[in-house]
Amino acid sequence: MLKTYNIKMPHAVYGGENAMESVTTILKNRKVNRVAMFTDKGIEESGLFSLPEEAVKAAGAHYYVLDELPPEPTYTAVQKLVDQFKASKADMIVACGGGSVMDAAKLASILVTDEYGVKELLDDPGRAQKCVPIILIPTTAGTGAEVTPNAIVAVPEKELKVGIVNENMIADYVILDARMIKNVPRKIAAATGVDALAHCIECFTSNKANPFSDLYALEGLDLILNNIMEACNNSEAMEAKNRMQIAAYYGGLAITASGTTAVHALSYPLGGKYHIPHGVSNAMLLAPVMGFNEPVCREKFAAVYDRCVHTQGNCQTAEEKSAYLLAWMENIVKELEIPTSLKEFGVPAEDLDGLVEAGMQVTRLLVNNMREVTPADARSLYEKII
Ligand SMILES: NC(=O)c1ccc[n+]([C@@H]2O[C@H](COP(=O)([O-])OP(=O)(O)OC[C@H]3O[C@@H](n4cnc5c(N)ncnc54)[C@H](O)[C@@H]3O)[C@@H](O)[C@H]2O)c1
Ligand SMILES: [Zn+2]
């Protein structure tokens, strides 16, 4: 039987040199009067915010800055911002930041109503309609949140992060301006880069994988595996950084067409309960989960090897190729000095039961994993990182 699939994507993407100028053109063409600009303090402190701000000023629009957002926000923190946004009566959103900022702005774009808020969308995400058009400008490479119909919020009472999926949140415009990621601190570039890697390898090995997601996932893997080290280690490596920015976008497209699997599923409680950054928790689980999946994903891993190893590789069999890829991914996490143990975050071994219980709740993603994950499997995977 043929698989059914669909892929929905942003209306337009502007990339390359001085892509930010397109913001001015879009606002002028749409005769926008009032812009709500979403960002956070980290972006403002890095000086990055002035670029989109100048572009909005050049269009002659009034603008309001909404920047009271912590990283990896809870749904109540996002709701506060949404309320401020509603009061601004803006007719366009421009969001400049990492996944946290973009997700908050995406939720605001479908929440100009007093009938329901972010909390209600946790249970019934499909009810909201697009209210305000949105321009997304990612500053990490990255979550791919600039592409996806997903917004992820922490839900403290469940000790989880929860994904709200609604295709009305797909961006109208995306600006991939490489200047935005030029000076990302190495720690953030490393974790967010491995998040993009996880998106591509999970979507490629997902039960929901299909020809469209494979196209973007494989190209994303080629770009990330061969550029992430250079992009993180060399601040002048603009070619490598630019490739990471494009790969993160492809990772987002792969998520939209396919879906992530057990790495992201088991990582949600680590973000929700212990506030471990999303990229870091995925990096911790990447090698254990992919090792667990290897028996059923061997041919797929071998296909990734064939596509991404450009020098004369020595591997002949699927088994060898698969082992090579697993070691390659594990080495990237190690070389980039991303934490690989929950000990560094003070998580006690007694929390294991709670972690297993919370992780097993993320059925939305666990069903995508090609190898079934039982509670006992989840336990042994968490044991590897605790
Ligand atoms: N919607 C989706 O499809 C999707 C996919 C994956 C992850 N996410 C979510 O995205 C969030 C994580 O986003 P993230 O990893 O991009 O990090 P983030 O947005 O949480 O940012 C982390 C920190 O980095 C700073 N920062 C970001 N870009 C910077 C830059 N260029 N220079 C200096 N500092 C910079 C921010 O100010 C912040 O302090 C999580 O909530 C995660 O669950 C969403
Ligand atoms: Zn992710």
Side-chain angles (χ1 to χ4, degrees), residues 307-328:
R307 171 64 186 268
C308 302
V309 176
H310 299 299
T311 49
Q312 199 69 42
N314 290 326
C315 300
Q316 302 298 327
T317 65
E319 200 172 352
E320 287 166 356
K321 291 176 180 179
S322 169
Y324 182 102
L325 178 70
L326 291 184
W328 194 0

Side-chain angles (χ1 to χ4, degrees), residues 6 22 35 41 45 88 93 104 144 153 188 201 205 213 219 234 253 265 268 273 295 299 365 373 376 385:
N6 66 66
S22 309
V35 180
K41 303 286 184 200
E45 277 158 24
S88 79
I93 293 173
V153 290
I188 296 174
I201 191 70
T205 55
S213 61
E219 180 65 14
N234 177 356
L253 279 175
Y268 276 4
K273 184 163 182 189
E299 296 298 330
L365 303 182
V373 181
I385 61 167

Side-chain angles (χ1 to χ4, degrees), residues 14 19 24 78 99 122 155 226 269 300 330 336:
Y14 299 87
T24 311
V78 174
L122 291 171
V155 182
N226 291 301
K300 293 217 170 201
E330 192 168 4
L336 290 175

